[in-house]
Amino acid sequence: MDMPSTPTDLTATLARLRAAQRANVPTYQQRMDDLKRLRHAFKTRLDALIAAMNADFGRRARADCILGDAFTVLTDIDHIRAHLHGWMRSRRDLADWLFWPARTEVRYQPLGVVGVISPWNYPVNLALLPLSAAIAAGNHVMLKPSEHTPRTSEELKALLEEVFPADRVATVLGGADVAAAFAALPFDHLFFTGSTAVGRKVMLAAAQNLTPVTLELGGKSPAILAPGYPIATAVDRIAAGKLLNAGQTCIAPDYVLMQKESVAPFVAEMQRIVAQRYPNLATNAAYTSIVNDGQYQRLAGYLIEARAAGANVVELARGDAANRILAPTLVVDPPANLALMQDEIFGPILPIVTVDSVDAAIDFVNARPRPLALYHFDYDRARTERVLERTVAGGVTVNDTVLHIAQSNLPFGGVGPSGMGHYHGREGFLTFSKQKPVMYQARFSSMKVLRPPYGKLANFVLKFLSR
């Protein structure tokens, strides 16, 4: 196992990558070749990566690995390679009419060296997607994967060392102290995925160097169940999004808002769905465990507090504390002051909050920090439009959950406490590029008439411009 990097090591590594990037700015062909080799090596090492994730979690469903960490990476690389030539093409136009016959151009230039700090919940996806976008934009990359999934981080390091020269991509291992030193480096852009609390620290560290940041954070993502929408369909789709990776997903539905008459059938259908999909939960390899003891105890603490407050806690299966298997659990109408209703849950616990109407649900959402995702279940188009117009969220899926993140042509990112900046597809390319504006003056410049001494023509033009 590699030794953790020191601040001196990190500074030297950044200097090496920056010098190499400036000496040989990656061409279109190099970027395409890099991404092709990354895809091939990723496919070759996929089983090893899945085994590492399984070992890090204690039990990680293979389907969660494929859907959350393999499919996403492969489709993203394919989308980038299919469109990169067009994205890199400069955008040319005439200058504004007053400046004719001058012309303008927008060039897409790499920033230099991009730092990426990735989390543990989707340790491959959330490392390689921003890395791929940064490579596509012509940058070199330093990656700091999570210390909470050490085996996966080691596999990622081996993968990237196989694909890239040491002065193009460097992987840095270590704990929170290394991550803090990493965030304080003078990168040309810093990309962080993680909690809102840590995101504040990362942004503060980056501010010392005026390093631009993209923060992919979290928050409490609501699902609104409108009256008249089929309960069975809603439960089927909410359960799929909530229980993927045992709820350890930044855009998992965090709580559901519904009218009182929907609660009993919703609970009954959730019981049926969980029994059908996860029989014998403790031994069911299709259900992922909580990543570590600290996270498990945090989630268990939410339920202890909810029971003590008199909330209706409905365990939908029997878990296995010894192996960190936390059962899918509903908490009906929890008091608003519970930690469960204040913190991002990041686990298979789903509060149900009763409201009088969809408008009341909108007010409930708007009274809280802006979420990373919002889900609305409704066949009434006017009401759906009202939800979309009156709420602000990082992204939305209507009549399903989490699927907007898998759309290559949609930007992904938060708003306010749930993040800033976007990536995926072209948005990732733009995030890691400088859109350099260029104006080309013509042999004849119309601006000549607006230089002193001002004559009649200049005064006429100035009068016209200030009309």
Side-chain angles (χ1 to χ4, degrees):
M1 180 178 292
D2 292 295
M3 294 296 293
S5 299
T6 66
T8 301
D9 296 335
L10 297 177
T11 300
T13 299
L14 174 57
R16 185 179 74 244
L17 268 66
R18 179 167 284 142
Q21 198 277 340
R22 288 175 176 173
N24 293 289
V25 176
T27 63
Y28 166 75
Q29 193 54 54
Q30 180 188 303
R31 303 179 203 185
M32 289 289 285
D33 184 59
D34 283 346
L35 292 168
K36 181 179 180 180
R37 287 184 291 105
L38 177 60
R39 191 189 196 283
H40 176 75
F42 178 76
K43 282 272 291 181
T44 301
R45 288 178 170 267
L46 182 56
D47 285 340
L49 286 163
I50 290 173
M53 286 186 278
N54 188 59
D56 281 332
F57 276 76
R59 186 177 83 192
R60 186 129 189 274
R62 185 176 178 85
D64 289 351
C65 295
I66 298 295
L67 290 172
D69 286 281
F71 163 77
T72 47
V73 171
L74 293 170
T75 55
D76 187 67
I77 292 174
D78 290 343
H79 182 78
I80 291 172
R81 296 187 78 251
H83 295 89
L84 183 57
H85 190 270
W87 296 344
M88 289 179 64
R89 187 181 299 122
S90 296
R91 190 174 79 244
R92 296 180 174 87
D93 205 346
L94 291 172
D96 291 351
W97 68 269
L98 183 64
F99 305 93
W100 289 352
R103 58 190 176 86
T104 64
E105 177 185 24
V106 176
R107 291 175 171 245
Y108 300 98
Q109 189 169 22
L111 295 172
V113 181
V114 170
V116 176
I117 303 176
S118 59
W120 54 263
N121 59 321
Y122 291 92
V124 175
N125 170 343
L126 297 175
L128 295 186
L129 260 64
L131 182 144
S132 298
I135 291 294
N139 301 283
H140 289 192
V141 179
M142 279 180 71
L143 170 67
K144 166 60 179 75
S146 175
E147 66 274 19
H148 297 299
T149 46
R151 299 169 187 84
T152 308
S153 295
E154 291 277 2
E155 282 293 333
L156 280 170
K157 189 174 192 297
L159 164 68
L160 295 172
E161 286 177 347
E162 176 185 328
V163 174
F164 297 101
D167 61 2
R168 193 172 304 159
V169 171
T171 305
V172 174
L173 303 181
D177 56 333
V178 174
F182 188 97
L185 292 172
F187 290 110
D188 298 296
H189 194 100
L190 180 60
F191 188 100
F192 169 80
T193 304
S195 71
T196 301
V198 178
R200 289 190 180 96
K201 296 178 182 178
V202 168
M203 190 172 183
L204 184 62
Q208 306 310 306
N209 298 304
L210 295 181
T211 299
V213 295
T214 297
L215 302 177
E216 296 298 342
L217 308 177
K220 300 187 72 62
S221 297
I224 300 173
L225 176 56
Y229 191 88
I231 297 291
T233 303
V235 170
D236 172 61
R237 297 172 183 182
I238 290 172
K242 182 62 175 180
L243 300 182
L244 175 70
N245 206 34
Q248 297 165 111
T249 302
C250 60
I251 56 170
D254 199 274
Y255 61 96
V256 187
L257 296 156
M258 67 183 74
Q259 291 181 278
K260 189 169 185 177
E261 57 267 27
S262 298
V263 173
F266 186 95
V267 172
E269 186 63 17
M270 278 291 290
Q271 289 172 323
R272 188 192 70 81
I273 284 283
V274 169
Q276 177 195 64
R277 294 182 185 174
Y278 305 108
N280 303 315
L281 192 67
T283 59
N284 193 323
Y287 189 78
T288 294
S289 62
I290 304 304
V291 69
N292 57 40
D293 289 337
Q295 293 292 328
Y296 185 91
Q297 293 304 322
R298 176 184 62 84
L299 293 165
Y302 289 159
L303 297 179
I304 292 169
E305 183 188 31
R307 288 189 179 97
N312 181 14
V313 177
V314 183
E315 287 194 1
L316 302 174
R318 181 178 296 176
D320 178 9
N323 292 298
R324 303 192 305 277
I325 307 298
L326 187 68
T329 305
L330 303 176
V331 182
V332 181
D333 274 331
N337 64 341
L338 294 185
L340 180 75
M341 293 305 296
Q342 301 295 318
D343 304 338
E344 181 180 8
I345 294 174
F346 228 65
I349 303 170
L350 184 65
I352 296 173
V353 178
T354 56
V355 290
D356 293 333
S357 64
V358 169
D359 285 330
I362 292 171
D363 292 339
F364 188 95
V365 172
N366 286 340
R368 286 154 179 80
R370 290 171 169 175
L372 182 57
L374 183 144
Y375 306 110
H376 183 60
F377 292 83
D378 202 344
Y379 290 145
D380 184 316
R381 291 188 179 182
R383 201 162 48 195
T384 298
E385 185 62 26
R386 195 156 73 245
V387 171
L388 293 174
E389 285 290 331
R390 289 181 54 196
T391 60
V392 179
V396 179
T397 296
V398 175
N399 294 332
D400 214 322
T401 61
V402 310
L403 297 182
H404 63 283
I405 198 174
Q407 311 310 306
S408 298
N409 61 342
L410 288 181
F412 180 79
V415 54
S418 59
M420 62 178 66
H422 297 89
Y423 74 127
H424 288 194
R426 186 168 188 266
E427 292 297 325
F429 174 83
L430 293 176
T431 288
F432 297 120
S433 299
K434 166 57 185 167
Q435 298 182 57
K436 178 188 280 186
V438 182
M439 177 175 170
Y440 296 92
Q441 186 59 277
R443 289 177 182 270
F444 167 77
S445 171
S446 58
M447 290 293 99
K448 187 173 183 179
V449 301
L450 294 179
R451 296 178 186 138
Y454 299 111
K456 290 183 179 180
L457 178 57
N459 288 327
F460 173 80
V461 172
L462 290 171
K463 183 177 181 180
F464 175 79
L465 293 177
S466 59
R467 68 192 186 283

